[in-house]
Amino acid sequence: MRIGILTKVFTAELVDAAIAKHDRAERRRRLLSARLVVYFVLALCLFARESYEEVLRVLTSGIPGSRTLARVNRSSLCRARVRLGENVLETVFRQVAGPLATPATPGAWWRGLRLLALDGTQFDLPDSTSNGDTFDGPSTTGGVPFGSPRSGRWCWPRSSDHLGTAREELPDGSYLSMARPGKEVRLRAAKEGRKLPRHVIYRVITFAKDDKVAHLGTTLLNPEQYPADELVALYRERWEIEPAFDEIKNHLGPGGPIRSRTPEGVRQELWAYCAVHQAIRQVAHTAALARPTVDADRVSHLKCVRIIRRSILSQLGSTATKLTHSFTEAGREARARLRPARRNSDCPRAIKKPNRWPVLRTRARRGTVQPGRWAHNPTSKPKSTRRAGRPALSA
């Protein structure tokens, strides 16, 4: 069983170990084995606009038993996903996840610190009852948690009314400030069993942004070791995390709602998307290593996706030697035509998809009817009582 050149990342040993960890191996001989289903779920992310049956044909073409697998229907594949569960894909993701850049990677480190960005994003889901009850709209309590770091060295924007209490002015014009956690933060921490410090000391940097004054807070307190102008320049590059979300949702994903209509399937699919995106980034990073002065973000993500899709269609990598050769050839093709260097984003934040309706629509099959478009705009057009396909009888 292969998934093109991504078999170099998602090896059979890695997948089998994740299956064994959660005791999802089949008890009897099945046509849809657990390993095949793992590769199938990963392939669903690569071919997000294709049907279940078509993805299975693409994945299994050219291997023994492919004619029998071609007769497997959608319901059997759905039941196979349910048997596999979400934890196997989470384990697969955590096995391949992790930082790829080394200290020699251009643009990945600054003054001995690895550069990272944190942000949140939302996915559109099918409007089913179970999805609506579990993930009820854009809120912080209905999302799928993928981990929440609690410590580190940070740099974040601060509004003028949340600058804390000034304590000491520094030579570069910045100053040290003190803030205490609020009541809600303390109550949430106590509920989770966490102990918070009584106060936090951080550094405030003031700079000009679009003819306005902006403030930056950071836990990097030494102005000589971490100059303020360099921190501001790094902060202006924070927008580069947005293309990563776009890569997952639009270049890799369907550009709309994902497939799964149950919460377990949603989590399984999201873990698979994260795992596949990590593998694609590994291909891009490997391609950039051949040119040490080239930033990895200049390797086109969409081009890597197309290369990987073709490798599955042609069933490359039937042996370990051929797989290594195919992986090398993919890297050479990916860096053949690099994207131009990224520039800082000067565009203000804006809603790209404004709501077309002035009121919320009614969620499908909910117990209570919410105010929706038809509730406020009932139709006055009379409905015909005629049965479809039969002419009306005259008196």
Side-chain angles (χ1 to χ4, degrees):
M1 192 65 213
R2 300 179 298 277
I3 189 170
I5 62 174
L6 289 191
T7 312
K8 190 77 173 176
V9 181
F10 305 112
T11 62
E13 294 78 12
L14 183 147
V15 173
D16 290 343
I19 294 172
K21 178 180 178 180
H22 299 284
D23 194 23
R24 295 295 179 177
E26 53 272 10
R27 297 292 186 270
R28 57 184 176 85
R29 187 173 182 180
R30 290 183 179 273
L31 186 61
L32 297 175
S33 64
R35 186 198 297 177
L36 188 150
V37 178
V38 171
Y39 283 138
F40 171 72
V41 176
L42 295 174
L44 287 178
C45 302
L46 285 167
F47 301 94
R49 293 176 175 85
E50 303 294 339
S51 66
Y52 272 36
E53 295 87 349
E54 183 63 24
V55 173
L56 184 64
R57 292 188 184 99
V58 169
L59 188 63
T60 60
S61 60
I63 68 173
S66 58
R67 291 186 178 181
T68 306
L69 288 168
R71 296 195 293 269
V72 175
N73 55 29
R74 178 185 177 89
S75 60
S76 298
L77 294 169
C78 291
R79 289 194 297 269
R81 286 188 59 187
V82 173
R83 286 196 306 270
L84 184 67
E86 61 182 87
N87 295 329
V88 175
L89 270 300
E90 179 183 355
T91 300
V92 170
F93 165 71
R94 295 192 183 281
Q95 290 294 323
V96 300
L100 299 173
T102 64
T105 303
W109 293 75
W110 174 76
R111 293 182 175 266
L113 301 176
R114 183 187 297 273
L115 297 179
L116 299 174
L118 290 178
D119 202 351
T121 188
Q122 299 170 357
F123 286 83
D124 295 330
L125 308 179
D127 193 12
S128 64
T129 303
S130 56
N131 281 348
D133 293 338
T134 306
F135 313 107
D136 193 10
S139 65
T140 57
T141 59
V144 179
F146 286 91
S148 54
R150 303 200 180 278
S151 62
R153 297 174 179 178
W154 301 94
C155 187
W156 69 98
R158 302 292 291 176
S159 58
S160 58
D161 55 344
H162 289 83
L163 297 179
T165 304
R167 298 292 299 275
E168 178 184 352
E169 187 173 354
L170 301 176
D172 62 347
S174 61
Y175 63 90
L176 297 181
S177 182
M178 181 186 71
R180 293 182 174 86
K183 181 180 179 180
E184 294 183 359
V185 176
R186 295 197 305 270
L187 292 176
R188 185 167 62 248
K191 185 177 180 181
E192 297 175 357
R194 295 184 289 113
K195 186 177 181 180
L196 295 178
R198 296 182 60 182
H199 62 270
V200 177
I201 300 295
Y202 61 96
R203 179 178 166 204
V204 178
I205 300 173
T206 304
F207 62 100
K209 179 183 178 183
D210 300 331
D211 299 331
K212 298 180 181 179
V213 177
H215 306 278
L216 197 64
T218 178
T219 56
L220 303 173
L221 305 182
N222 192 332
E224 296 182 0
Q225 187 177 1
Y226 307 108
D229 55 345
E230 295 184 17
L231 283 171
V232 172
L234 290 175
Y235 170 73
R236 295 182 186 276
E237 297 180 3
R238 73 197 185 281
W239 68 273
E240 292 191 6
I241 195 175
E242 301 294 343
F245 297 142
D246 182 66
E247 291 169 358
I248 300 177
K249 292 182 176 180
N250 299 317
H251 296 175
L252 182 61
I258 62 178
R259 300 174 187 264
S260 303
R261 302 185 67 84
T262 63
E264 295 78 10
V266 167
R267 295 187 184 96
Q268 182 192 73
E269 193 170 351
L270 291 182
W271 286 121
Y273 268 113
C274 291
V276 172
H277 182 262
Q278 175 75 12
I280 295 172
R281 273 290 144 212
Q282 185 170 336
V283 173
H285 181 260
T286 304
L289 288 178
R291 298 184 182 180
T293 59
V294 173
D295 198 325
D297 60 15
R298 295 186 59 189
V299 179
S300 172
H301 177 270
L302 183 57
K303 190 173 185 180
C304 292
V305 171
R306 291 168 176 167
I307 294 171
I308 293 169
R309 287 171 179 166
R310 291 200 306 268
S311 72
I312 297 177
L313 291 170
S314 57
Q315 288 296 325
L316 294 177
S318 56
T319 64
T321 303
K322 291 182 179 180
L323 179 61
T324 302
H325 176 72
S326 301
F327 197 84
T328 305
E329 287 295 325
R332 185 178 293 109
E333 182 181 354
R335 64 175 176 272
R337 187 175 180 180
L338 298 174
R339 299 167 55 186
R342 287 181 176 177
R343 297 175 295 177
N344 290 335
S345 177
D346 296 328
C347 298
R349 289 182 175 268
I351 299 177
K352 297 181 180 179
K353 297 180 180 179
N355 187 11
R356 295 176 58 188
W357 312 111
V359 292
L360 296 175
R361 62 184 176 85
T362 303
R363 186 177 293 281
R365 296 186 294 175
R366 298 301 292 274
T368 57
V369 178
Q370 301 172 356
R373 177 171 175 252
W374 302 114
H376 292 280
N377 300 283
T379 178
S380 59
K381 182 179 179 181
K383 295 183 179 180
S384 175
T385 58
R386 292 188 303 172
R387 298 173 61 183
R390 297 191 178 186
L393 298 178
S394 58

